[in-house]
Amino acid sequence: MKKGIVLLFICFFAVIGIYTFIDIIQSVSNVARYETFTLAASGTLFGKAVFLLVVIVAFILSIKFYRKN
């Protein structure tokens, strides 16, 4: 049962991570194309990057927990 739940979390974090990575790339291209790199735009990009790092850490911890069980 635990492995099934952890496997579900691994899939969830993988999808969220891929979506966030694509969103960061699109945001950078949109800011570079249509705006300037203001403090607000840089803060938004930084927040998305931090969120991606949190998702990556959760993904890695989920994989370690899956292998442990």
Side-chain angles (χ1 to χ4, degrees):
M1 183 68 179
K2 287 183 183 179
K3 279 195 168 191
I5 293 171
V6 173
L7 190 61
L8 183 68
F9 279 139
I10 289 172
C11 293
F12 176 73
F13 288 132
V15 169
I16 295 296
I18 292 169
Y19 174 77
T20 304
F21 182 71
I22 292 170
D23 186 42
I24 289 172
I25 291 172
Q26 287 178 346
S27 295
V28 168
S29 67
N30 284 338
V31 168
R33 190 178 304 156
Y34 300 117
E35 300 177 17
T36 58
F37 280 98
T38 61
L39 188 60
S42 299
T44 302
L45 293 174
F46 180 74
K48 289 180 181 184
V50 169
F51 179 73
L52 179 62
L53 288 176
V54 169
V55 169
I56 289 172
V57 168
F59 179 76
I60 291 171
L61 290 177
S62 297
I63 289 177
K64 285 185 180 181
F65 186 75
Y66 181 75
R67 289 181 182 166
K68 183 179 173 184
N69 288 333

